[in-house]
Amino acid sequence: GAVGGETGTGSYQLNIKEDGSGEILYYEYASANCSPLEISKGNPRIVGGGHCVVNGEYLYILKNGLPYSEDEENAEAFCYRMNQDGSDGKEQRLGNDLVFHHTSCVVGAEEGSIYTAVSLTDTETVTVETALIKIDPEMEGYEVLAQWEGEAVDLAGVSQEKFLLTERTQKGGRMEYRIFTLDRETGEETPLFEDKTLSVTGCGMYEDTLYYTVEGESTVHTWSLKEEKSGEDLTITLPDGQQYTTVTIWDNVRDGRLQLILTNPDWEEAVRGGLDLETGAFSPVTLRLEDGDSFPYICGEGDTDFLIYTGEGTGENPEKGYMVIAKEDYWNNRPNYRSFQ
């Protein structure tokens, strides 16, 4: 499945300082402690940004390239693999023209390779393509598997036979999605829906199942990547018996719950919450950040806690960028946020 820098007890996050150097910080949930990871070979320079990925015993830094930069020393993209304690680092250089799609990294479980969508810039023609690439688990090269015009394609899932991909398009003030599979042997693309005009308003992948919502509809649709067929539609029962008219997926599955927005033109505001994919129970979430207005965005998940993004951290004060909250408190709307030190 899609991965980030998450472990059961904390999360690795990339912090870029004002001088362009990067450090890996580990946000430990139980202690609410934020501390830098000591990388045995020294911190690689991360000019241009990037992100962290945990895959099995390894931690990876995926550093973006800077296609138009004259800073030759720092312009090249790379994948840096190390043990989670920072030891035994190994680097794969990827050229200046490659920028990782942040939400599009998927680990191929059967062999440990990293698959990700990237943007490739042609600086001569000033055009950008999206490529699906496979990075060798031993850092011994990478392979371009497919390419598309523009930057709108992202990778959602991987099976032994197929890749599952989405392509975003802006329609009015909102995003819509085309969803298709790519055969790993033949390279053939197959759209999930024969009706290509279907207005998909949100989608998310969890345990080989794609969940998606369609404009104006009140059910969540499912599709199995393993079986390559549609599954059972899901409906939501609100605890107080209210009736909603439309449902939209708005973020990743967290704690086994699909994050949804329910709307009804008669309501003053939409209802957000999580649909438990095992029990079918829906938990409305009314929590806000400490400003009383912003909705808490979950950017990391451990065994018992969520990492919440505050938007307030800087390169010099990274501990202010996140808070931690117990999952039980989150789903029960108890604002017991803990700040990192």
Side-chain angles (χ1 to χ4, degrees):
V3 290
E6 303 171 33
T7 73
T9 55
S11 180
Y12 294 97
Q13 299 286 337
L14 187 59
N15 180 47
I16 307 296
K17 297 185 176 180
E18 288 180 4
D19 65 0
S21 63
E23 62 180 352
I24 306 298
L25 298 175
Y26 188 65
Y27 291 81
E28 186 182 52
Y29 301 145
S31 63
N33 184 51
C34 163
S35 58
L37 177 68
E38 296 294 331
I39 299 176
S40 60
K41 294 186 178 180
N43 282 346
R45 282 185 63 78
I46 323 249
V47 180
H51 58 283
C52 298
V53 171
V54 171
N55 176 19
E57 67 208 85
Y58 294 123
L59 171 65
Y60 296 80
I61 304 171
L62 304 181
K63 185 263 187 202
N64 294 330
L66 296 167
Y68 295 100
S69 175
E70 295 178 4
D71 180 1
E72 291 184 15
E73 186 182 350
N74 297 306
E76 190 167 12
F78 60 73
C79 177
Y80 188 92
R81 189 197 78 182
M82 63 193 127
N83 295 324
Q84 288 187 36
D85 63 2
S87 65
D88 197 23
K90 200 171 183 180
E91 189 176 274
Q92 169 67 52
R93 310 295 288 189
L94 299 166
N96 294 13
D97 302 333
L98 184 149
V99 175
F100 291 96
H101 288 199
H102 184 71
T103 59
S104 189
C105 185
V106 174
V107 172
E110 73 278 4
E111 85 283 20
S113 296
I114 288 182
Y115 297 94
T116 182
V118 299
S119 294
L120 295 176
T121 298
D122 186 323
T123 53
E124 290 187 9
T125 61
V126 198
T127 56
V128 182
E129 290 185 323
T130 292
L132 174 62
I133 70 169
K134 172 186 176 180
I135 300 174
D136 181 84
E138 295 304 317
M139 301 290 99
E140 294 178 357
Y142 76 101
E143 181 183 354
V144 175
L145 305 175
Q147 288 180 259
W148 300 269
E149 289 183 6
E151 297 180 87
V153 175
D154 279 312
L155 179 62
V158 179
S159 72
Q160 291 191 333
E161 290 83 30
K162 300 284 175 79
F163 296 106
L164 184 66
L165 299 116
T166 63
E167 183 174 23
R168 306 179 309 282
T169 54
Q170 193 82 24
K171 187 175 179 182
R174 68 172 188 280
M175 209 64 82
E176 292 192 347
Y177 299 85
R178 176 174 81 95
I179 306 175
F180 61 99
T181 59
L182 180 75
D183 190 286
R184 291 178 65 159
E185 276 194 22
T186 66
E188 181 183 358
E189 289 184 22
T190 306
L192 242 62
F193 326 112
E194 292 178 12
D195 179 3
K196 292 189 176 67
T197 62
L198 199 62
S199 295
V200 176
T201 54
C203 53
M205 193 82 190
Y206 184 66
E207 291 185 347
D208 288 329
T209 298
L210 175 77
Y211 298 87
Y212 66 94
T213 48
V214 174
E215 182 181 7
E217 294 191 5
S218 59
T219 55
V220 177
H221 303 286
T222 65
W223 190 86
S224 168
L225 177 57
K226 198 171 184 180
E227 299 175 7
E228 293 186 51
K229 65 178 185 181
S230 295
E232 199 176 323
D233 288 349
L234 308 178
T235 56
I236 296 91
T237 302
L238 290 172
D240 54 8
Q242 290 187 88
Q243 296 299 312
Y244 67 96
T245 56
T246 62
V247 58
T248 304
I249 294 171
W250 75 278
D251 201 11
N252 298 327
V253 173
R254 293 292 187 182
D255 192 27
R257 305 184 204 208
L258 188 60
Q259 296 188 77
L260 303 173
I261 298 176
L262 308 179
T263 58
N264 182 318
D266 296 333
W267 295 350
E268 285 187 21
E269 60 180 34
V271 172
R272 294 180 188 246
L275 176 66
D276 190 312
L277 295 173
E278 195 170 306
T279 67
F282 182 78
S283 303
V285 176
T286 57
L287 278 178
R288 293 294 183 266
L289 292 182
E290 291 169 333
D291 62 11
D293 190 36
S294 305
F295 195 82
Y297 172 66
I298 300 169
C299 60
E301 177 182 350
D303 295 333
T304 59
D305 300 279
F306 288 138
L307 185 69
I308 302 294
Y309 179 65
T310 67
E312 294 178 9
T314 67
E316 308 310 312
N317 297 291
E319 70 283 352
K320 293 183 179 178
Y322 302 93
M323 295 186 294
V324 63
I325 187 170
K327 291 178 181 180
E328 187 178 346
D329 286 339
Y330 181 89
W331 296 121
N332 287 285
N333 296 302
R334 297 189 290 255
N336 296 325
Y337 300 111
R338 290 178 290 135
S339 299
F340 284 95
Q341 306 299 320

